[in-house]
Amino acid sequence: MRSIIFLAILCLGAVLTGPLFDGSARAQENVAFRSYLESIRPKARAMGIRDATLDSVFPTLTPNPRVIELDQNQPGGGAYSPIPNFEPYRQRHVDAARISRGRVAYQANRARLARIEAETGVPEEIMVAIYGHETNYGSYTGDFDLIRSLATLAYEGRRRSLFEPELLATLKMLDSGVPRSRLVGSWAGATGYPQFLPSVYLRLGKDGDGDGRVDIWNSEADALASIANYFVNAGWRRGQPWGVAVSLPGGLDRASLAARTSPARCPRVFNRHSRWLSMAEWRRLGVTSIAGNWPPDTVMATLLEPDGPGKTAYLLTSNYRAILDYNCSNFYALSVGLLADAVRQ
């Protein structure tokens, strides 16, 4: 009987003290979180961010456990792990609905797209394809509070070198007059129609409608001009395609085409590419264009077989590398290029 009573007392104690303990742990975390925020105040001041801005926002912030969960559950992959097939991804991301909506957006924006292409050399359809791929032409842009999300990720520390500068950039946006209500997006900080990180917005955001503001959340003109400006900064070459779908001869010696350098960036992506050859050299090897289009002989390209030998392959120019700069994924860049081609047809 005594043991039963003692066990009941222990259980009651656990019930009573459990929430208190949890509350204490949360309180301690909030203190540590606030301490971290105060530690970045000197960096914010050095960027010209006013203390009044920081004082208005810091007390409103708490860590967001959902953001940490999403960050820690990101899929991984070794640099040399097998590449999955591209075709299922293509079917999901270059589908009839996205192509149809892209053609509507393309036609609705032809005047401004033509002007931006004339100024930058970035094709109209590439701008539209990024817009479609990132937010399905503005239909979803994310609803996470950017400042809270980025403060959480920077505080957590696993990738502080990435997220702390983005937190500071978001605070700079707020200090420069961007309303807090507009600073929403993905859990990792991407925002607006182009899904720019805050630092990218500050560097490359562009006023496309001439109203003196860079509003990538509501203005398609600003979003498209900003996308084009991004690609100019990434080295887009005027008049050069992103790539071409090709068929390969049966006896192609792939070993002789292997890249001879080890990529310092995105090895999982670039290890899939061959070394660079001119289009004339690829043609002499028996490579043929599926659609009949063929870039000038002097254009340099690498070879990618995203679904393995015997399936559609691609010769990819330096402009494909500019798309990779936007998102370093072969599947992403290929689907952007293919969506652009379909939208333009």
Side-chain angles (χ1 to χ4, degrees):
M1 186 65 177
R2 288 181 180 178
S3 61
I4 294 174
I5 295 172
F6 181 67
L7 182 59
I9 292 172
L10 284 179
C11 290
L12 179 61
V15 169
L16 291 174
T17 61
L20 294 175
F21 177 80
D22 290 344
S24 175
R26 282 195 299 273
Q28 290 176 1
E29 181 176 55
N30 285 336
V31 169
F33 180 70
R34 294 288 171 81
S35 177
Y36 167 71
L37 292 178
E38 287 302 319
S39 76
I40 68 169
R41 189 179 285 265
K43 296 178 182 178
R45 287 173 178 158
M47 293 173 61
I49 302 170
R50 294 168 297 167
D51 277 328
T53 299
L54 304 179
D55 292 340
S56 71
V57 70
F58 280 178
T60 71
L61 299 177
T62 56
N64 186 340
R66 176 60 178 156
V67 168
I68 297 297
E69 179 185 356
L70 289 168
D71 183 47
Q72 293 179 347
N73 288 336
Q74 285 296 286
Y80 299 94
S81 60
I83 186 171
N85 287 335
F86 169 61
E87 183 58 21
Y89 183 97
R90 186 197 66 79
Q91 291 178 4
R92 292 194 306 273
H93 292 85
V94 194
D95 58 305
R98 200 177 301 248
I99 292 170
S100 177
R101 293 191 67 182
R103 288 173 178 167
V104 171
Y106 179 62
Q107 293 301 326
N109 289 280
R110 283 307 307 280
R112 62 174 57 111
L113 285 167
R115 174 179 55 79
I116 296 169
E117 179 174 349
E119 291 173 356
T120 65
V122 178
E124 302 172 41
E125 63 271 21
I126 288 291
M127 292 179 253
V128 172
I130 292 289
Y131 183 26
H133 210 300
E134 290 294 332
T135 59
N136 202 6
Y137 312 103
S139 64
Y140 56 86
T141 56
D143 58 4
F144 282 85
D145 178 338
L146 288 191
I147 297 178
R148 186 187 183 203
S149 293
L150 291 167
T152 298
L153 292 164
Y155 161 72
E156 188 264 351
R158 190 169 67 94
R159 293 195 286 169
R160 181 169 292 175
S161 62
L162 170 64
F163 290 116
E164 184 174 277
E166 298 303 333
L167 169 60
L168 290 165
T170 313
L171 293 169
K172 182 68 173 178
M173 292 168 68
L174 183 67
D175 192 66
S176 300
V178 178
R180 175 84 183 270
S181 61
R182 199 167 291 167
L183 293 175
V184 295
S186 77
W187 64 265
T191 188
Y193 291 158
Q195 291 291 277
F196 276 1
L197 287 173
S199 63
V200 175
Y201 171 85
L202 291 176
R203 264 190 321 120
L204 300 174
K206 198 166 181 65
D207 176 12
D209 54 21
D211 67 354
R213 297 178 295 118
V214 180
D215 184 358
I216 61 171
W217 302 271
N218 299 295
S219 169
E220 287 187 319
D222 289 5
L224 294 168
S226 297
I227 290 168
N229 197 39
Y230 185 100
F231 281 117
V232 169
N233 185 74
W236 189 276
R237 296 187 179 183
R238 184 186 294 267
Q240 193 173 107
W242 64 271
V244 58
V246 295
S247 294
L248 306 179
L252 186 68
D253 182 3
R254 290 171 175 79
S256 68
L257 298 172
R260 295 168 179 168
T261 59
S262 179
R265 174 176 172 267
C266 297
R268 181 170 171 80
V269 171
F270 293 114
N271 281 328
R272 307 323 195 218
H273 297 200
S274 75
R275 60 189 177 92
W276 292 92
L277 295 177
S278 71
M279 297 303 296
E281 290 173 309
W282 286 115
R283 190 169 56 248
R284 285 197 292 270
L285 289 173
V287 177
T288 58
S289 169
I290 291 175
N293 55 320
W294 195 259
D297 282 352
T298 55
V299 171
M300 303 297 290
T302 60
L303 175 68
L304 174 65
E305 297 178 88
D307 291 312
K311 303 295 178 61
T312 301
Y314 298 89
L315 290 180
L316 307 168
T317 73
S318 63
N319 283 344
Y320 178 84
R321 299 291 175 104
I323 302 174
L324 286 176
D325 194 78
Y326 207 100
N327 184 335
C328 201
S329 158
N330 279 316
F331 285 10
Y332 177 90
L334 283 172
S335 60
V336 164
L338 293 170
L339 179 60
D341 291 350
V343 163
R344 183 92 188 214
Q345 289 176 3

